[in-house]
Amino acid sequence: MSPVGEVPWGQDASITCSISTQHLGGTFTLQQTSGSSRKSKASSTNSAIFDVSKVNFGNEGSYQCQYQTGVSGRDFSSNFSDSVRLSVTVPLQQPNISLTSPNKGLVWGPEGAEVTRGYSFVFTCSISSHYPGGVFFLVSSGLNNTKPAVDQSASFDFPWAEYEHLGNYFCVYQVTLSARRFTSNKTPSITVTIKMSLLPLVSSVAVVGPLLLLLVLVGVCLVFKRKRRAKQPNDLVQTQLSVRVNVYKNTTNGDDEDVYENVDPMYTEKLRKEAGRVEEEEYDVYGESEIIEDEGHDSDQEEETSDDEADYENVTQQSVEATVDIYGDDENIYQNF
């Protein structure tokens, strides 16, 4: 028998029957011992070949040969030969598995494939086989997808990667022949991990970043404005205290002389108004009791003053300390009160 032993399903096989005899021109018969199959072939030699095309499981079994011939008008038959067994096998190669991402959401790392969440990915199972049909299984923990083989391959699409898709994936091919199922060995597994997409984070930063910057700028402006407002009254008081109207009194000749004020008239009027505001503030601070004491003190001072002493207008203000020099050290303008 050729090939000897096991014959792949769908292939051709042949069984040869032969005999050692001087009476040639007989007929060889090939009979299946476990079935009803019986074939005969005349031969002018001492052998005959029986072909079995496209072996299937119906051809599986044991076979025996017998030789018949006629001598002098009489038929003679030989005994059956030893049996040979024809076994039909379905050898399946190990399938192949591949992983791709149409929108480039796949990165291969040392521990396997890293797929970005929200991206699509595709597993493709394929096999080199001459058997018709068949199905592919894509197996993972908690997942068992099945697709028919088309041109010896099948694709498994995952349009949206989620964390539930992480795990180890492998392919298995299965084919049914003569009501019998045959399963291939599984492919090497591919480990898939799902990683978070950076696009929402970048979008959030792009939206929140300008808002945070605007809030910071508004906060800085408010703090600066508050400090500026808090500083303005102190600057005003310091300005008022740094200006003093100089009144000069000449006592060398013993005569009453004019009093000079080294200020500009318009600016003096402004200082008077500011001094008036300062006096009102002092009134609020010290209370009415001190004002009454000041009035009593002024009355005593007026009684002690001699009659022939001239009254002078004192324009010196308590909150003014520095001489207002409008035109510098070399040019002073005086106003005679």
Side-chain angles (χ1 to χ4, degrees), residues 210-236:
L211 294 178
L212 291 177
L213 180 60
L214 180 60
L215 292 175
V216 171
L217 292 177
V218 171
V220 171
C221 292
L222 291 176
V223 172
F224 180 76
K225 190 173 182 180
R226 183 174 296 177
K227 288 184 178 180
R228 187 174 181 181
R229 287 181 178 178
K231 187 177 180 182
Q232 283 180 351
N234 294 332
D235 293 342
L236 180 59

Side-chain angles (χ1 to χ4, degrees), residues 17-307:
C17 298
S18 62
I19 191 172
S20 176
T21 181
Q22 297 177 352
H23 304 282
L24 302 177
T27 302
F28 286 96
T29 301
L30 179 66
Q31 182 175 344
Q32 186 180 15
T33 58
S34 57
S36 59
S37 177
R38 183 183 179 91
K39 294 180 179 181
S40 297
K41 180 179 283 190
S43 175
S44 60
T45 63
N46 63 342
S47 65
I49 300 175
F50 294 88
D51 295 325
V52 182
S53 60
K54 296 181 179 180
V55 172
N56 55 45
F57 295 108
N59 303 126
E60 192 174 43
S62 298
Y63 290 86
Q64 291 178 321
C65 291
Q66 187 181 43
Y67 180 72
Q68 296 175 345
T69 186
V71 177
S72 301
R74 297 178 63 180
D75 293 332
F76 295 92
S77 298
S78 69
N79 296 327
F80 283 98
S81 65
D82 295 335
S83 63
V84 294
R85 181 168 181 80
L86 188 153
S87 298
V88 179
T89 61
V90 181
L92 295 176
Q93 296 182 359
Q94 187 181 65
N96 300 315
I97 184 173
S98 62
L99 175 62
T100 58
S101 178
N103 49 7
K104 299 180 180 180
L106 171 65
V107 175
W108 289 97
E111 296 182 358
E114 296 179 356
V115 180
T116 304
R117 183 175 179 266
Y119 285 74
S120 63
F121 61 100
V122 179
F123 277 103
T124 301
C125 302
S126 62
I127 193 172
S128 177
S129 171
H130 62 276
Y131 304 117
V135 294
F136 283 99
F137 295 92
L138 180 65
V139 183
S140 180
S141 55
L143 177 68
N144 192 350
N145 289 342
T146 304
K147 277 194 173 184
V150 178
D151 295 332
Q152 302 179 0
S153 66
S155 296
F156 299 86
D157 299 331
F158 294 82
W160 186 273
E162 287 291 350
Y163 294 113
E164 62 186 22
H165 294 145
L166 58 86
N168 298 323
Y169 291 80
F170 60 88
C171 291
V172 173
Y173 176 74
Q174 187 179 87
V175 63
T176 301
L177 301 173
S178 301
R180 296 185 184 183
R181 293 180 179 178
F182 298 88
T183 303
S184 69
N185 295 327
K186 65 180 182 179
T187 64
S189 61
I190 294 179
T191 302
V192 174
T193 57
I194 306 298
K195 64 179 182 179
M196 183 181 67
S197 176
L198 296 179
L199 182 59
L201 181 60
V202 172
S203 301
S204 301
V205 172
V207 173
V208 177
L211 294 178
L212 291 177
L213 180 60
L214 180 60
L215 292 175
V216 171
L217 292 177
V218 171
V220 171
C221 292
L222 291 176
V223 172
F224 180 76
K225 190 173 182 180
R226 183 174 296 177
K227 288 184 178 180
R228 187 174 181 181
R229 287 181 178 178
K231 187 177 180 182
Q232 283 180 351
N234 294 332
D235 293 342
L236 180 59
V237 173
Q238 291 177 1
T239 303
Q240 292 173 351
L241 294 176
S242 64
V243 180
R244 181 177 64 188
V245 178
N246 289 328
V247 178
Y248 299 92
K249 182 178 180 180
N250 190 352
T251 58
T252 305
N253 297 326
D255 297 331
D256 297 337
E257 295 186 2
D258 294 335
V259 179
Y260 298 89
E261 183 176 1
N262 189 15
V263 293
D264 181 77
M266 295 180 65
Y267 194 76
T268 303
E269 182 66 21
K270 182 179 179 180
L271 292 177
R272 286 177 178 174
K273 292 180 181 180
E274 292 176 352
R277 288 197 300 269
V278 174
E279 288 180 353
E280 291 177 0
E281 293 176 359
E282 291 178 351
Y283 177 80
D284 295 334
V285 175
Y286 295 103
E288 297 179 356
S289 60
E290 293 186 3
I291 295 176
I292 295 173
E293 291 178 6
D294 291 340
E295 291 178 354
H297 180 71
D298 292 339
S299 299
D300 295 339
Q301 187 174 8
E302 287 177 1
E303 292 176 359
E304 293 176 358
T305 306
S306 61
D307 295 336

